[in-house]
Amino acid sequence: MPEALTSLTQVLDINLKAPAIITREAVRLMLKGEPLKSELPLDGRKQNVGVRRGVIVNLGSTASLKARSASGAPYITSKHGLVGLSKVTATSYGKDGIRCNTSASFASDSR
């Protein structure tokens, strides 16, 4: 297998495939559990607005939001895919009380 393809496969396995498998299993376990009733303030009153089962937070990157050089394509592709995974999970299981988000971190100089 060419080196570039090996690198792409490794990055996708770590940054996208692993979170997809973990998300699938987390959703499965959350759906098995008893939901908590959610009473959130709405217009100053408490109303039963649904159920809560849990929250999944995937660790993304601001790199998924802005294209850089071609050498970063595997990483950017994997993090962009993670955003899509989170959106699909949130849309598919929100009605069941499961939320899913991506936190997009960025590099900073902490010196």
Side-chain angles (χ1 to χ4, degrees), residues 7 10 14 24-25 33 48-49 56 59 80 83 98 103 110:
S7 174
Q10 289 174 339
I14 293 167
R24 179 189 67 201
E25 293 305 307
N48 186 3
V49 293
I56 298 166
L59 300 180
H80 192 73
V83 171
I98 297 172
S103 174
S110 60

Side-chain angles (χ1 to χ4, degrees), residues 41-79:
L42 185 63
D43 297 331
R45 302 174 311 220
K46 285 191 171 188
Q47 290 185 327
N48 186 3
V49 293
V51 297
R52 296 179 296 161
R53 280 201 164 90
V55 180
I56 298 166
V57 179
N58 288 310
L59 300 180
S61 170
T62 56
S64 67
L65 307 173
K66 188 173 183 180
R68 304 243 187 256
S69 67
S71 64
Y75 180 78
I76 293 168
T77 300
S78 68
K79 292 300 184 175

Side-chain angles (χ1 to χ4, degrees), residues 1 5 10 17 27 32 34 36 40 46 58 64 68-69 74-75 82-84 86 88-89 91 93 98-99 101 108:
M1 187 178 302
L5 189 55
Q10 289 174 339
K17 187 176 181 182
V27 166
K32 276 180 151 180
E34 285 295 316
L36 301 171
L40 300 174
K46 285 191 171 188
N58 288 310
S64 67
R68 304 243 187 256
S69 67
Y75 180 78
L82 192 59
V83 171
S86 295
V88 167
T89 303
T91 301
Y93 297 101
I98 297 172
R99 295 185 297 129
N101 296 293
S108 65

